[in-house]
Amino acid sequence: MSSASTSPAASRACAGRNDPASAAALRAVLRAADERGDLDLATLAMSAAEHDRLRDDWALWARADQMPPAGDWTTWLLLGGRGAGKTRAGAEWVKATALGRPPFADRPCGRIALVGETFADVRDVMIEGVSGLLRIHRREERPSWKPSLRRLEWPNGAVAQAFSSEDPEALRGPQFEVAWADEIAKWRHAEEVWDMLQFGLRLGDRPRQVATTTPRPVPLVKRLVADPACVVARASTRANAFNLAPRFLDTVVGRYQGTRLGRQELDGELIEDRDDALWRRDEIDRQRLDAAPPLARIVVAVDPPATSGANADACGIVAAGLSETGIGHVLADASARGLRPTDWAARAAALFDTLEADALVVEVNQGGEMVETILREVAPHVVVKPVRATRGKWLRAEPVAALYAQGRVRHVGALPELEDELCDFGPEGLSSGRSPDRLDALVWALTALMLQGRGSPKVRNL
């Protein structure tokens, strides 16, 4: 890094480090220099001690989702993917509250609870881990860890006690000002331990707690997400890419992105199945493929909206194919909202051409002959097969859902928005009350391929 190119920017950033724009500029300078391995302290006009203090300034380096929320709150729930930095966020918050460091705390908090799945997890992750409390303190501020007492003791007198979710009774009696609860979605006695912790948060003017976890649809997590008094933040694995191995991002993140497992473990999403839904995510995940085999037939199905505009229903556009062995393969979901008739017709025709499909199946209940006319005007070469719904959506969807249950349908790659509709579709429709347009298009595609006559086969590779 040359002083001529970096010193002015760095100096301006250092001079106004409390200003958000200056802080962002300094963060960019330091990260770029660290990444190249040529950080020159002289060009940054800082001594080694100043540089160490700067690197210790979590408020400067943290992402917005790693910073505690503003305002008067009691519970901060950070839902994050694997490696998203949620452990570091929890540890930095505890450190700042123990030391009384603004803007996290206006005075030191003397009594702190650290609660993990097991005592080993508290020790190995929250305290001794690479992002744990012992690692993130400067030497002169570092607490002393006493494993036999399960206590962390700071030089200023602050004390943190370690607790396990396996022993709810241990939380009877102790009292705290703040608490950090880690991986609450994995706790063995989650509800009981959480309730005991709440009774113990009774010291100070404003008791607070942070809960960090990779989300799972367990009762405690759902309860906190639904609680208006709980502030929820979300962090994805990719948001922390700067601190992760490139190979991890390329292999693990690339492979699971968009799947239920990936959305939960990487994106920090809380994903649930409806008990009365026709489709189950585990069935879809079990049959998922990275690529389609040779296919005998391919169709693109369209469920057109009655109107266009921002608040109109989406136009469902889904492509599926049938293998020579009679297995259905869902290939693509090109559905979109707010399209005019010519736009969705062009979108469907483009998918038809890309996949070299045999037919474009289109529901004509809403527009009748006009739908066919628009498609033929936009793409006269497309083979249009009009279909008309004579039964309700649930009755039409049941036979297709049965194909999934029988293991006769595969999804090629991840189709998250389509899969969300499938797994949220119950007897009364979607939970949101909106029209299941992606689901409708899928039902038409697989019905045409697997529940009606097949026609002449034509084998091709995708």
Side-chain angles (χ1 to χ4, degrees):
M1 177 185 294
S2 67
S3 60
S5 62
T6 61
S7 184
S11 297
R12 287 194 299 272
C14 290
R17 56 182 293 191
N18 291 325
D19 174 71
S22 299
L26 181 55
R27 181 189 299 152
V29 170
L30 289 177
R31 283 188 170 178
D34 273 345
E35 191 173 19
R36 290 194 298 271
D38 62 356
L39 181 62
D40 183 348
L41 296 180
T43 65
L44 296 176
M46 289 185 292
S47 67
E50 289 171 333
H51 179 256
D52 287 343
R53 283 195 296 272
L54 185 63
R55 294 182 71 90
D56 189 49
D57 188 349
W58 180 241
L60 174 64
W61 293 93
R63 303 188 311 268
D65 56 68
Q66 293 177 303
M67 290 290 287
D72 187 15
W73 54 271
T74 300
T75 303
W76 170 31
L77 174 63
L78 177 54
L79 301 177
R82 302 283 188 94
K86 56 187 182 293
T87 300
R88 180 66 183 270
E92 289 284 358
W93 182 75
V94 169
K95 168 188 167 183
T97 56
L99 299 176
R101 183 165 294 172
F104 304 90
D106 53 13
R107 61 172 182 79
C109 294
R111 306 293 297 183
I112 303 166
L114 304 175
V115 190
E117 181 184 4
T118 65
F119 282 118
D121 292 310
V122 177
R123 179 194 66 218
D124 296 342
V125 178
M126 302 172 74
I127 296 174
E128 298 180 353
V130 294
S131 297
L133 285 161
L134 294 181
R135 294 289 187 96
I136 64 173
H137 282 76
R138 294 204 304 269
R139 185 182 301 275
E140 64 270 20
E141 297 175 331
R142 185 174 300 148
S144 171
W145 169 227
K146 300 182 177 180
S148 61
L149 299 177
R150 295 172 176 168
R151 287 162 61 102
L152 270 178
E153 297 180 356
W154 276 262
N156 69 354
V159 174
Q161 294 176 258
F163 298 91
S164 165
S165 74
E166 297 178 324
D167 185 12
E169 293 300 310
L171 281 161
R172 290 184 181 272
Q175 52 188 350
F176 314 99
E177 293 177 72
V178 297
W180 173 22
D182 190 46
E183 292 298 349
I184 62 171
K186 295 168 60 181
W187 285 5
R188 175 172 293 186
H189 304 291
E191 297 278 356
E192 187 176 357
V193 171
W194 183 264
D195 289 340
M196 290 299 100
L197 179 60
Q198 306 317 295
F199 291 127
L201 279 171
R202 57 180 184 262
L203 294 181
D205 298 330
R206 196 170 56 169
R208 287 184 166 188
Q209 59 193 341
V210 59
T212 53
T213 190
T214 300
R216 293 180 181 175
V218 297
L220 176 58
V221 174
K222 292 193 289 184
R223 166 181 153 191
L224 292 178
V225 170
D227 184 354
C230 176
V231 180
V232 181
R234 302 177 189 274
S236 71
T237 299
R238 285 195 180 277
N240 201 35
F242 180 82
N243 296 306
L244 300 175
R247 179 164 294 184
F248 174 80
L249 293 171
D250 293 340
T251 56
V252 177
V253 177
R255 175 175 179 80
Y256 294 102
Q257 195 72 37
T259 66
R260 177 188 183 151
L261 188 62
R263 292 172 64 188
Q264 173 179 285
E265 301 294 323
L266 300 175
D267 297 332
E269 291 188 41
L270 183 62
I271 300 176
E272 300 181 70
D273 283 344
R274 279 179 58 171
D275 292 337
D276 59 352
L278 274 178
W279 278 265
R280 310 302 300 175
R281 291 186 192 272
D282 55 349
E283 292 175 355
I284 296 173
D285 283 339
R286 271 200 308 270
Q287 305 294 344
R288 195 183 307 278
L289 300 176
D290 292 329
L295 299 174
R297 291 185 65 219
I298 296 175
V299 299
V300 174
V302 181
D303 178 52
T307 61
S308 61
N311 296 321
D313 292 334
C315 179
I317 305 174
V318 173
L322 189 69
S323 70
E324 294 180 280
T325 58
I327 300 297
H329 295 78
V330 184
L331 306 173
D333 173 19
S335 307
R337 193 176 302 280
L339 300 180
R340 295 176 298 179
T342 53
D343 294 332
W344 61 250
R347 192 179 185 91
L351 185 59
F352 179 96
D353 292 338
T354 298
L355 298 178
E356 299 181 4
D358 300 282
L360 196 153
V361 180
V362 56
E363 182 184 311
V364 296
N365 286 58
Q366 299 287 1
E369 293 182 359
M370 183 186 69
V371 172
E372 295 180 65
T373 301
I374 292 170
L375 282 166
R376 292 194 169 99
E377 287 178 353
V378 171
H381 64 288
V382 169
V383 178
V384 178
K385 180 180 178 182
V387 292
R388 185 176 295 275
T390 58
R391 296 182 298 165
K393 296 179 186 294
W394 176 271
L395 292 177
R396 284 185 281 122
E398 275 187 309
V400 175
L403 296 175
Y404 280 77
Q406 295 163 8
R408 296 175 58 194
V409 179
R410 315 277 189 268
H411 283 202
V412 180
L415 304 166
E417 292 177 297
L418 170 61
E419 291 165 14
D420 281 350
E421 279 198 8
L422 298 181
C423 299
D424 184 46
F425 184 71
E428 304 303 319
L430 299 178
S431 298
S432 64
R434 299 194 72 101
S435 175
D437 307 295
R438 299 170 192 270
L439 179 151
D440 279 343
L442 171 117
V443 166
W444 286 122
L446 292 177
T447 297
L449 288 171
M450 305 181 70
L451 300 175
Q452 295 177 353
R454 294 189 179 183
S456 301
K458 179 171 63 176
V459 178
R460 83 286 306 283
N461 286 295
L462 289 181

